[in-house]
Amino acid sequence: MRKIIFELCAESLQACLAAREGGADRIELCTALSEGGLTPSHGLTRAAILHSGLPVHVLLRPRSGDFHYTDDEFSLMREDLLHAHSLGASGFVLGILRTDGTVDMERTRELVELAAPLEITFHRAIDYTISLEQALEDVIATGCKRVLTSGGEPDVLAGADKLARLVEIANGRIDIAVGGGLRIKDAAALARATGASHFHGSLRRSEASKMQHERRWVLEDPDSLDGTSRFVVNAGDVRTMIGNLRSA
């Protein structure tokens, strides 16, 4: 019987503590999920490692946008890896592509070797590649332990069939982590449909701010949070997600 592993994608210390309380197996730590996730700060990384009691895998992504990086940006990724390693990170999450939509195997392998013996997960950059199946083989060849994917689709529901195919192709050579729009209500069905053992989600929900004063100004960016709410993670949601996944 397969063992189901659930990783919470956390962008705050509150989320990390909810992951611990809810029984998550691992944390992917990042910041700015509204930007698709960026490398977390020193303070957040240290606090997550000290207080969560869970393996913390740190996202290495120096900016939002595409996954083709300049030499300077790649140097930042190297430095962030070494720094998070010194703080006690258990692994790293990254994704680097070439301009032609293939996996940048050389740079990926360099970071895998730099992080050894810690684990590397190749993230959803793989969903932007020209061929999922070839990209999977390339990621395996770099020595990554895991690949996070929605099956090349906008979310895991749409990508369920492709995810099942990737699990079949991987055949135990690498872990396929199902992530990208994973919802509690769909968890059991996705676990059955994909045959995967690893699942990833943020489980964020909006919570009204406790601020009581009247807001007298408007943010310049209309797409930003307006200061009247924040995102939190409920430990009960983590428990329910895991229960649903393991009931499949």
Side-chain angles (χ1 to χ4, degrees):
M1 184 176 179
R2 60 180 164 150
K3 179 182 179 181
I4 296 294
I5 302 295
F6 178 69
E7 171 184 85
L8 185 76
C9 181
E11 64 175 345
S12 69
L13 181 57
Q14 183 277 328
C16 293
L17 299 180
R20 179 191 67 191
E21 185 180 345
D25 299 283
R26 184 173 60 242
I27 291 168
E28 180 195 307
L29 189 68
C30 65
T31 191
L33 273 172
S34 60
E35 297 288 333
L38 299 175
T39 303
S41 70
H42 169 107
L44 178 57
T45 301
R46 185 170 185 272
I49 292 165
L50 287 176
H51 300 300
S52 73
L54 295 174
V56 174
H57 289 207
V58 174
L59 177 65
L60 302 176
R61 190 178 181 216
R63 58 157 173 80
S64 60
D66 65 30
F67 305 102
H68 176 68
Y69 299 109
T70 66
D71 290 344
D72 287 341
E73 289 167 340
F74 182 65
S75 293
L76 285 176
M77 296 173 75
R78 288 176 51 91
E79 290 302 314
D80 284 335
L81 186 157
L82 292 171
H83 183 66
H85 196 320
S86 72
L87 293 176
S90 296
F92 301 94
V93 183
L94 57 91
I96 310 175
L97 303 182
R98 301 189 186 100
T99 55
D100 63 357
T102 60
V103 173
D104 189 329
M105 296 179 65
E106 292 74 20
R107 282 180 163 180
T108 302
R109 186 180 290 113
E110 181 176 340
L111 293 182
V112 168
E113 293 172 355
L114 187 64
L118 303 184
E119 296 179 356
I120 295 287
T121 298
F122 195 95
H123 61 49
R124 289 188 63 202
I126 195 171
D127 293 322
Y128 294 83
T129 58
I130 194 168
S131 167
L132 268 181
E133 295 187 7
Q134 183 58 55
L136 178 63
E137 295 298 334
D138 291 344
V139 170
I140 291 171
T142 66
C144 288
K145 168 69 175 177
R146 187 177 303 105
V147 59
L148 172 65
T149 174
S150 61
E153 299 292 341
D155 60 62
V156 291
L157 273 182
D161 290 343
K162 291 181 182 178
L163 287 164
R165 175 61 178 158
L166 291 176
V167 170
E168 180 183 351
I169 293 171
N171 194 29
R173 294 178 296 158
I174 193 170
D175 294 325
I176 304 295
V178 173
L182 178 64
R183 300 287 182 262
I184 290 173
K185 64 184 179 65
D186 305 316
L190 277 165
R192 288 192 295 270
T194 63
S197 298
H198 291 253
F199 295 84
H200 166 105
S202 66
L203 297 177
R204 298 188 305 166
R205 59 169 67 189
S206 180
E207 177 181 86
S209 171
K210 295 180 174 62
M211 298 296 294
Q212 297 176 1
H213 74 285
E214 182 180 351
R215 181 167 60 90
R216 300 180 183 277
W217 46 268
V218 178
L219 289 172
E220 294 180 5
D221 183 355
D223 294 327
S224 298
L225 288 175
D226 61 4
T228 63
S229 64
R230 65 173 186 152
F231 287 117
V232 298
V233 176
N234 187 298
D237 287 345
V238 178
R239 280 192 292 271
T240 302
M241 172 67 84
I242 294 169
N244 287 359
L245 288 169
R246 291 177 179 169
S247 70

